[in-house]
Amino acid sequence: KRILVLGAGLGLASFVAGVLTAAKHLEVTDGEEQVVALLRENLELNVEAMQAKKVVVKRLMWGDGLDVGTKPFDLVIGAEVMQSEDTDGALLRTMRRVLKPSGLALLFASPRAGSLDAFSMAACSVFDRVETTRDWDKDAEKAFRGFKCFPRMIRLQWSNNKAPAPAVKSTRRSSSQAAVLGSTAEAAAEAPSEAPSEENGGAKWLP
């Protein structure tokens, strides 16, 4: 499958997906030039551990004028990418344009300051299936125990495998965001629950 990561940040979730899945194509993106440069360095450090057949790092600005190639993606992943109403529209426009009609978008975020609820409402104008859950496997539940803002996962799909084309007002913004725990990427890519380690080709990271 083809996987796109939006707002990859340092790339932890992206490269866990690359190490633990056999994706045909993994595209890791961010909107900040400095972040993209760091992502490329991290990819070089971890390229031998990648199970994905092809991993590329690109700069991607959300909104109009997208240039992400000609092929859409089966899976789009994003973590902590919902920040404000200004960026929500641009994010939704991007996902609508890059996701296959039969594809799935998985976003992960903490429900702080109502931003998650606001995004979910806006997403209903683009996707007819918007599901929010906080159900995780046992290991993730244990890791997040005690968090005041327990992360939620949002599933976005089109039930009839046909993407609509609604108008979503937005301001084009950068997609630079923080990376998330590797368990988040594993859930998103439907990968095995085993975490990277030295024994199974675990990743190295820049300080």
Side-chain angles (χ1 to χ4, degrees):
K1 292 186 176 182
R2 288 173 54 82
I3 301 175
L4 173 68
V5 182
L6 299 172
L10 296 178
L12 176 59
S14 306
F15 297 143
V16 167
V19 170
L20 297 182
T21 71
K24 180 180 179 180
H25 179 99
L26 173 62
E27 193 154 311
V28 182
T29 69
D30 200 277
E32 298 291 341
E33 290 284 8
Q34 292 181 336
V35 175
V36 171
L38 182 57
L39 283 168
R40 289 188 174 123
E41 291 185 49
N42 273 337
L43 176 58
E44 290 180 6
L45 288 174
N46 294 281
V47 67
E48 293 183 0
M50 295 294 164
Q51 298 299 312
K53 293 180 175 61
K54 183 178 181 180
V55 183
V56 296
V57 175
K58 291 185 178 180
R59 185 177 185 227
L60 174 61
M61 301 295 293
W62 300 345
D64 297 323
L66 294 175
D67 181 17
V68 291
T70 58
K71 293 183 179 180
F73 292 86
D74 301 282
L75 176 64
V76 174
I77 302 172
E80 298 294 349
V81 292
M82 295 86 82
Q83 299 296 320
S84 68
E85 293 183 6
D86 290 338
T87 57
D88 284 354
L91 174 59
L92 288 167
R93 288 159 69 92
T94 298
M95 290 193 294
R96 177 169 57 83
R97 294 183 62 180
V98 302
L99 188 64
K100 284 183 178 180
S102 60
L104 170 66
L106 295 178
L107 302 181
F108 302 85
S110 300
R112 56 177 181 270
S115 59
L116 185 61
D117 292 336
F119 177 84
S120 297
M121 292 181 63
C124 290
S125 66
V126 177
F127 296 90
D128 61 356
R129 293 187 62 185
V130 179
E131 303 172 3
T132 303
T133 180
R134 58 170 290 170
D135 294 330
W136 304 84
D137 61 29
K138 292 182 179 179
D139 289 338
E141 288 276 2
K142 183 178 179 180
F144 289 131
R145 188 173 299 158
F147 279 36
K148 293 182 178 179
C149 294
F150 195 96
R152 265 61 164 181
M153 178 175 70
I154 305 179
R155 296 172 58 94
L156 306 169
Q157 290 176 287
W158 296 292
S159 59
N160 60 356
N161 292 339
K162 182 178 180 181
V168 181
K169 295 182 179 180
S170 66
T171 301
R172 182 176 169 184
R173 297 294 180 86
S174 165
S175 61
S176 176
Q177 307 293 345
V180 292
L181 294 173
S183 60
T184 307
E186 294 174 56
E190 300 181 353
S193 59
E194 182 184 10
S197 68
E198 293 183 359
E199 295 181 353
N200 61 16
K204 311 177 189 70
W205 306 102
L206 293 176

